[in-house]
Amino acid sequence: MMVSEWIASLDKRPCDRTGEELDLIYSHLKNLKAFEKFHPSLLQQICVYGYYEDLDKGVTLFRQGDIGTNWYIVLTGSLEVLVSETGDHKDAIIVSTLAPGTCFGESILTNKPRYGTVTTREFTELIRVEQKDFKILWEGSKKLLEGVITPLERLSTTANQLQYSPAISRQGQGRRKSSAVARLNGQSNPAAPITSIPSEKLKRAGRVLRTVLLTRAPHMVRDRKYHLRTYRKCMVGTEMVEWLLQQSPIVHSRNQAVGIWQALCEEGIIVHVCREHQFKDKYLFYRFCEDDQGVGTVPNHAQKKECEEELQDTLITLAQIGPDAMMRMILRKLPHDRTLDDLEIIYEELLHIKALSHLSTSVKRELASVLVFESHAKAGTVLFNQGDEGKSWYIILKGSVNVVIYGKGAVCTLHEGDDFGKLALLNDAPRAATIVLREDNCHFLRVDKEDFNRILRDVEANTVRLKEHGQDVLVLEKIPTKSQAADGTMQSHYKYSVMAGTPEKMLEHLLETRLDNTKSEETTDSFLEDFLLTHVIFMPTEKLCPALLSYYDAKSLKTDEQDAGDYGLTQKKSVVQFVQEWHNLAEDIFNEDEQVQVFLQELHSYVDEDCASFPCLASELTVLEGMMSCEKGFQFINTPEVGKRRISPSVMLTKKMANELYLDSINKKQPIKANDENIVKIYCADHTYSTLRLPMSSSVHSLIEHAREKLGLGSEELVLCEIKSSGDRVLYKEDDLCVTTGLSLNGLLFISPRKHLDALVSESTQNQCLPASLSHLIAVQNSDCKLPREIDLFYDSLEGALTVCWLVEGAGGIDCVFKAYFLFLQYELIYQVLGRSNFNKITANLDLFLRRFNEVQYWVVTEMVLAQNVGKRVQLLRKFIKVAAHCKEFQNLHSFFAIVMGLSNIAVSRLSQTWEKLPGKFKKMFADFETLMDPSRNHRVYRLSVSKLTPPIIPFMPLLMKDLTFTHDGNKTYFDGLVNFEKMHMIAQTIRNVRICRSRRLDLEPPNTAKSSTEVQDYIRNLQVIDNQRVLTQLSYKLEPRRT
């Protein structure tokens, strides 16, 4: 009975133990042999701070490399100390046994990793003292404790020498240090905080959540007992996730909630009670750091009220940080603990890292399984020194480093996305420089040498090369996969992915393996679609069509007549199926290309002729006839699913265009094509101009010659250039095509003798004749109707116009400009990034799409700086934020970015008097918008947001262009005479993202109360803007002079 009473007393919190209970504990412990060496005063303090633990045989107390949280004294039983050279528990050996009276775990004083793994050999009783209490003991009784503490390293020295030396000498001591050990040394405990001092932002967020949680659900924070062990003031992971989901619609999934809690966990704001786990949605116990340190207090009424008001803002902040925290959590897991979902998340992240852009998909997937997260808190930390052995390759995830060379100092700085340390691994050479952290809290991805070399070996081993005449013609990657058999068992087999090849051989491989209906094996890769989306780069139409006809009519080498006939029939069907897929993917372009039309006629005649020998080709003949009978002109491929949305009655839908060419094109619902007529104004030095009517595809050389003839400019050398409103000149090359659609907003085309080029100046009218502003129109409307409601209706019409992507056709529904241009945009993106002159193609649709972005952006700035009254500017600011909110709601992210970037322009953002008077609600909305636009981590916040949206979406086009440029610049199109199809895969993926955005149509139901305003419609059709930043800034300073 006495035993249970002293144990029950030790189970209580120290502050709850009475004097009688302390006497009871002391009277029992002093009689134990384990405490015979303890000074009475030290034993009395242990009675105050200690907890009782009893463990069965085989229980692991802590593992090698863990960061300790408790100090222990063995009462009865015994424990084993196991140490592994590699860090793998499988090869750990016993180096010592801990008997009753042994004290261990003093590493908690310095937060050093545990020296070894400690496991019970039999039923064992312990006294446990938590870290914060042990530090108090140490400060008060240091000399007494030094007399009883024996470090594990000292206990295991003899056994270490006896057991390690022979084994190490036999295996080659010092020859290698496995990547597992390197990982252990680099990031010893995945559950440990990544920074020594949490940021003020997260400390405040943790305080808000703790206060609100104690207010709304105080029962969640309580003492809990698990396996006869009591944990004070803790919460359960699953309950924490469920509670967070109930607090706000901002948190919409359990994964998101886990990310939010992990963001706090990785900075030590919340901790696992045993410091063994990152945050998990499981029955695991966590505490807020205040409660863990014993300094938590009950919030008062004022604190509760303040934190309740801050909760939503706090959740928004944490929701933005959460995805990065989840990524770091996955990267800090040991490789064998990563799930398939984890590996996919890491792989997606690697796609946007500049240093890895040149690597193949297979290598990136391999890296996803071995990459290790490493963080360093302090600037000035040396990662490695010049002359050191190369052991790891590093990629900067956050922060920057200086590259220092002896005798030269810092020679350069590397930033986020850069890498270093690879050459020393490739060449097996010493480090060529010293790497020093340039700022605090730098994060890295690390690949250790052993993994690095293995990946290189595996890539070569799994590469299959097909040769013809001694030359590589096709390079395939062998990828192991598993599939379920009919009996339910999983069977392993290989599939082959194309890495590189000649265009002809890749086409042949595609026709034989992806379009052969006689094959039973399923092929789920995107090779066919990627080929069709990118063939313009390596196999344009004039080469593709003859190759298809050649393959269709190729003779089989098989000697058996039956086999030869079957093979020939399969070839013919494959070609027709390929053409059908091509037509489905890009119907409009397919029908507009004259070479394709000629090819279809030839193929039709071949199939018609072969139907006599192969009657089963009749269905293929029908397919071809259907394609040939399609009307030329714009049609949507397939009829996308319609997503209907109801417009608020206050939103008036109107049309708006950038210029006459743009307006005419949209009214016809036709994308701009190369043969369309283009009206060009070309100015002379005296600002007289001539008008030319030429095809859209006309080159600069053609424009110059026609202008020379019409203006009678003689035979001297002439050049064509654009003069921007800022006075900057853009000189065009003679082979440039369709330059008119790429002009800046107020730019003009000038023709001049080359020697007089410097004399050209822009006829700057922006200083004298400013455009009619929106503020003026508001004043007109307000004076007519005297009703503020009319102003709202006017603005709401603008909101509607922007929201539905610039096109409305009465009750007949809406077809977005983006959709009207879609089929041409997907190829024009390639032409623009890889160079229009390389393809001899125009990019007029893309040019005008991007032009509208600039127009809307500068329109916002122009209206703001032309509003002379502060009240009007505040009203404008509110409405522009509402317009942006509508665009975001309807997933028109292209216009959303244009408006927010306009409001972020220095000419607007510096108007402090205007922003100060903006209501808090709108300030918060704009702050949220700016967060979505955050460019850090390659626009990670935006990308994550878009990934959660469902089509239809109008994406932020400049970012898609940046992705394509990133892919193009970082990867060669050809190597060793073969097409780098890994690059084609990446380009096709970006184009596929565009296709996904318009996979459903948007159909808006206009409200019954919508009104028409001719003045508004005219204004929106012909936006007049100032695009000269100098002029805009000057106007801004006139409104609100610089404060002295």
Side-chain angles (χ1 to χ4, degrees), residues 456-666:
L456 290 181
R457 290 194 303 269
D458 289 350
V459 167
E460 190 58 36
N462 290 323
T463 300
V464 179
R465 300 177 183 274
L466 303 183
K467 295 179 178 289
E468 289 182 359
H469 308 296
Q471 298 292 324
D472 289 341
V473 293
L474 192 64
V475 181
L476 305 174
E477 179 190 9
K478 184 170 66 173
I479 304 173
T481 60
K482 290 185 178 181
S483 60
Q484 190 170 6
D487 58 1
T489 59
M490 299 301 293
Q491 296 182 344
S492 298
H493 61 96
Y494 290 95
K495 69 176 185 179
Y496 293 88
S497 174
V498 175
M499 298 176 67
T502 63
E504 295 78 11
K505 199 65 182 179
M506 287 193 299
L507 177 62
E508 180 184 327
H509 178 72
L510 190 156
L511 292 169
E512 290 180 353
T513 62
R514 301 305 192 273
L515 295 170
D516 184 351
N517 294 327
T518 64
K519 302 286 185 184
S520 58
E521 180 183 353
E522 289 188 11
T523 54
T524 57
D525 65 8
S526 59
F527 180 35
L528 172 59
E529 186 178 32
D530 293 352
F531 186 98
L532 291 170
L533 287 173
T534 61
H535 76 88
V536 294
I537 300 173
F538 57 88
M539 199 176 195
T541 306
E542 58 267 22
K543 292 183 178 179
L544 178 57
C545 292
L548 287 170
L549 289 174
S550 177
Y551 185 84
Y552 178 90
D553 207 33
K555 303 298 182 184
S556 173
L557 299 177
K558 297 180 181 292
T559 54
D560 185 87
E561 186 175 343
Q562 179 65 34
D563 289 345
D566 291 343
Y567 181 78
L569 179 61
T570 300
Q571 280 181 289
K572 299 177 190 301
K573 287 190 172 185
S574 295
V575 170
V576 176
Q577 188 180 348
F578 177 91
V579 174
Q580 186 179 12
E581 294 291 341
W582 187 8
H583 177 268
N584 291 340
L585 194 71
E587 179 180 349
D588 195 56
I589 297 175
F590 192 88
N591 292 332
E592 289 295 327
D593 194 315
E594 294 181 2
Q595 290 179 320
V596 172
Q597 296 304 309
V598 173
F599 160 72
L600 277 180
Q601 292 174 3
E602 289 188 51
L603 183 60
H604 179 269
S605 64
Y606 283 9
V607 176
D608 190 23
E609 182 179 338
D610 287 338
C611 279
S613 304
F614 302 101
C616 56
L617 285 177
S619 58
E620 277 68 25
L621 185 64
T622 304
V623 168
L624 288 174
E625 290 172 347
M627 285 188 279
M628 294 173 67
S629 64
C630 285
E631 293 182 5
K632 293 185 179 181
F634 181 80
Q635 293 179 0
F636 284 106
I637 53 171
N638 303 323
T639 302
E641 183 183 350
V642 174
K644 286 197 174 183
R645 299 185 184 179
R646 184 75 183 177
I647 302 287
S648 167
S650 65
V651 179
M652 191 184 306
L653 305 177
T654 60
K655 302 177 188 176
K656 63 188 186 68
M657 294 303 123
N659 50 46
E660 291 181 4
L661 173 65
Y662 198 54
L663 180 62
D664 291 342
S665 171
I666 299 306

Side-chain angles (χ1 to χ4, degrees), residues 423-441:
L423 286 178
L425 302 187
L426 287 171
N427 302 327
D428 199 19
R431 298 293 194 189
T434 298
I435 300 294
V436 184
L437 265 63
R438 188 168 173 264
E439 54 190 285
D440 293 342
N441 295 323

Side-chain angles (χ1 to χ4, degrees), residues 343-356:
L343 295 178
E344 192 61 29
I345 291 172
I346 298 174
Y347 170 73
E348 291 292 336
E349 179 76 10
L350 300 186
L351 292 177
H352 304 297
I353 294 179
K354 179 174 63 177
L356 307 180

Side-chain angles (χ1 to χ4, degrees), residues 911-926:
L911 298 174
S912 56
Q913 297 174 30
T914 305
W915 287 94
E916 285 171 2
K917 294 184 178 181
L918 185 69
K921 170 186 173 182
F922 289 93
K923 287 180 181 178
K924 181 179 176 300
M925 287 174 64
F926 188 71

Side-chain angles (χ1 to χ4, degrees), residues 791-837:
I791 299 177
D792 285 335
L793 285 176
F794 175 78
Y795 271 117
D796 288 339
S797 67
L798 296 178
E799 294 171 23
L802 285 167
T803 300
V804 288
C805 193
W806 323 324
L807 184 63
V808 175
E809 289 188 342
I814 299 166
D815 287 325
C816 295
V817 172
F818 177 64
K819 290 184 177 180
Y821 284 175
F822 164 71
L823 289 173
F824 282 78
L825 279 177
Q826 60 183 5
Y827 287 110
E828 288 186 9
L829 279 168
I830 295 176
Y831 302 150
Q832 179 71 27
V833 172
L834 274 69
R836 289 185 291 188
S837 58

Side-chain angles (χ1 to χ4, degrees), residues 647-937:
I647 302 287
S648 167
S650 65
V651 179
M652 191 184 306
L653 305 177
T654 60
K655 302 177 188 176
K656 63 188 186 68
M657 294 303 123
N659 50 46
E660 291 181 4
L661 173 65
Y662 198 54
L663 180 62
D664 291 342
S665 171
I666 299 306
N667 285 340
K668 297 174 184 176
K669 293 198 296 185
Q670 291 286 337
I672 301 170
K673 299 169 186 175
N675 294 328
D676 289 349
E677 187 179 68
N678 186 16
I679 301 175
V680 186
K681 283 184 179 181
I682 299 184
Y683 288 79
C684 298
D686 60 357
H687 289 275
T688 59
Y689 66 86
S690 178
T691 302
L692 304 176
R693 290 179 177 270
L694 296 169
M696 291 296 301
S697 59
S698 296
S699 66
V700 168
H701 175 75
S702 177
L703 290 175
I704 291 175
E705 294 306 315
H706 280 83
R708 183 199 302 274
E709 180 180 350
K710 188 167 185 178
L711 297 172
L713 296 177
S715 59
E716 59 183 325
E717 182 184 7
L718 299 175
V719 293
L720 192 71
C721 72
E722 175 194 0
I723 305 295
K724 298 184 178 181
S725 61
S726 61
D728 295 338
R729 300 182 183 87
V730 178
L731 189 64
Y732 293 111
K733 300 176 183 178
E734 289 201 345
D735 60 350
D736 287 341
L737 304 177
C738 193
V739 295
T740 53
T741 56
L743 292 174
S744 61
L745 296 179
N746 294 305
L748 301 175
L749 274 180
F750 280 80
I751 190 168
S752 167
R754 184 178 291 274
K755 60 185 179 182
H756 296 153
L757 186 61
D758 292 339
L760 295 179
V761 293
S762 172
E763 186 181 27
S764 180
T765 60
Q766 293 191 52
N767 286 321
Q768 296 81 24
C769 183
L770 298 175
S773 71
L774 181 59
S775 304
H776 170 69
L777 291 179
I778 294 172
V780 172
Q781 282 208 348
N782 200 29
S783 63
D784 289 342
C785 63
K786 307 295 183 184
L787 291 173
R789 176 61 181 159
E790 289 301 316
I791 299 177
D792 285 335
L793 285 176
F794 175 78
Y795 271 117
D796 288 339
S797 67
L798 296 178
E799 294 171 23
L802 285 167
T803 300
V804 288
C805 193
W806 323 324
L807 184 63
V808 175
E809 289 188 342
I814 299 166
D815 287 325
C816 295
V817 172
F818 177 64
K819 290 184 177 180
Y821 284 175
F822 164 71
L823 289 173
F824 282 78
L825 279 177
Q826 60 183 5
Y827 287 110
E828 288 186 9
L829 279 168
I830 295 176
Y831 302 150
Q832 179 71 27
V833 172
L834 274 69
R836 289 185 291 188
S837 58
N838 296 327
F839 301 93
N840 198 32
K841 298 286 187 179
I842 68 169
T843 59
N845 300 286
L846 179 61
D847 290 341
L848 293 178
F849 196 72
L850 296 174
R851 175 191 174 90
R852 191 57 174 175
F853 178 89
N854 294 328
E855 190 172 41
V856 172
Q857 179 182 348
Y858 280 108
W859 167 65
V860 171
V861 185
T862 301
E863 297 299 343
M864 287 297 297
V865 299
L866 292 184
Q868 300 299 311
N869 181 280
V870 176
K872 288 182 179 178
R873 287 199 299 275
V874 173
Q875 193 179 29
L876 271 172
L877 196 53
R878 290 178 56 185
K879 287 300 181 176
F880 279 132
I881 291 173
K882 285 183 66 177
V883 169
H886 277 288
C887 291
K888 185 170 179 283
E889 177 188 358
F890 286 92
Q891 301 179 170
N892 180 357
L893 301 176
H894 193 70
S895 295
F896 166 79
F897 267 74
I899 296 168
V900 178
M901 288 178 71
L903 294 177
S904 300
N905 187 287
I906 184 62
V908 179
S909 62
R910 65 163 301 278
L911 298 174
S912 56
Q913 297 174 30
T914 305
W915 287 94
E916 285 171 2
K917 294 184 178 181
L918 185 69
K921 170 186 173 182
F922 289 93
K923 287 180 181 178
K924 181 179 176 300
M925 287 174 64
F926 188 71
D928 295 343
F929 295 164
E930 288 189 307
T931 300
L932 183 60
M933 292 177 57
D934 181 10
S936 63
R937 300 287 302 280

